[in-house]
Amino acid sequence: MQRDLLKVLLTERELSDRVRELGREITRDYNGKPLHLVGILKGSVVFMSDLMRAIDLPLTMDFMAVSSYGSGAKTSGVVRILHDLSIPVEGKDVLIVEDVLDSGLTLSYIMELLQSKDANSIKICTLLNKPSRRHPEVTWEPDYEGFVIPNEFVVGYGLDYSEKYRNLPFVGVLDPKVYGE
Ligand code: IMP
Ligand code: MG
């Protein structure tokens, strides 16, 4: 698997240190509130499982799966719900947990959807942020972010290319030859 990578971008140690810091920030900010984590499947599962254990508060959690039409390394912006929420978000302080913020179109759509369901608040926690890739119509910024990264296609720690590489314990840059560039 590692032969498909150009380099390691974030080591296991860097990831775990940063996730613990995010957990401390969230613990401080959500003290006394009904914190409800909503992970976006499948990319967020590794981050989610580490992050939730770094939050020292009572919380609830749920998952949602969406797919943007189109496959591979590009996003189309049109989103389809594959798996809906199983718990109502009404009155809850929702924190959306995402693997990587790229164009921002997927999360814009998800936020609109949650806003219509009367959550008390909706914030975003993304492990990775690629600001240079943002769609011009996306004007919001994430409330919590692990790392700002350059415009490179990355895999590992939950992130995939064609459903592969999610189980790498670090984040690496995929060699463009793998997706034919
Ligand atoms: P957005 O709607 O363009 O922000 O799309 C975000 C989604 O695209 C993420 O949740 C990922 O599934 C996928 N994505 C964007 N960049 C990468 C990457 O570098 N590696 C793996 N998946 C990515
Ligand atoms: Mg994703």
Side-chain angles (χ1 to χ4, degrees):
M1 253 189 333
Q2 304 220 14
R3 275 183 319 203
D4 296 346
L5 302 179
L6 290 183
K7 62 173 179 195
V8 174
L9 189 66
L10 301 165
T11 64
E12 276 189 78
R13 182 57 195 269
E14 287 169 321
L15 288 162
S16 69
D17 285 352
R18 184 70 187 117
V19 171
R20 264 197 295 272
E21 278 173 19
L22 286 172
R24 279 195 291 271
E25 275 182 56
I26 293 166
T27 301
R28 206 182 47 222
D29 296 351
Y30 284 86
N31 189 18
K33 294 181 177 168
L35 173 59
H36 185 60
L37 302 178
V38 172
I40 309 304
L41 293 173
K42 294 176 255 187
S44 73
V45 289
V46 180
F47 178 39
M48 177 75 132
S49 70
D50 286 341
L51 181 68
M52 65 190 295
R53 286 176 288 175
I55 300 174
D56 187 16
L57 291 174
L59 59 81
T60 51
M61 66 179 295
D62 206 348
F63 285 104
M64 192 175 173
V66 297
S67 99
S68 43
Y69 289 100
S71 57
K74 302 247 152 52
T75 309
S76 68
V78 183
V79 175
R80 188 162 52 110
I81 297 177
L82 301 178
H83 172 82
D84 211 343
L85 299 172
S86 65
I87 306 175
V89 298
E90 197 183 336
K92 301 208 169 86
D93 288 290
V94 173
L95 184 59
I96 300 173
V97 179
E98 174 66 306
D99 52 359
V100 53
L101 182 56
D102 192 51
S103 72
L105 294 172
T106 308
L107 281 188
S108 290
Y109 177 86
I110 290 172
M111 275 197 293
E112 246 174 66
L113 198 91
L114 292 181
Q115 263 146 14
S116 71
K117 296 189 177 188
D118 291 329
N120 188 45
S121 68
I122 301 170
K123 291 194 174 182
I124 287 177
C125 177
T126 186
L127 176 69
L128 308 176
N129 185 8
K130 292 184 192 171
S132 63
R133 294 266 306 160
R134 207 74 81 247
H135 190 279
E137 279 169 30
V138 175
T139 51
W140 50 268
E141 286 296 326
D143 303 281
Y144 303 91
E145 71 186 10
F147 302 89
V148 171
I149 63 165
N151 178 19
E152 290 176 303
F153 198 84
V154 294
V155 293
Y157 198 71
L159 289 101
D160 76 308
Y161 172 70
S162 271
E163 299 299 328
K164 280 165 62 187
Y165 313 104
R166 293 192 197 275
N167 56 320
L168 293 172
F170 53 84
V171 171
V173 177
L174 191 64
D175 190 332
K177 75 169 191 283
V178 176
Y179 50 90
E181 268 178 29

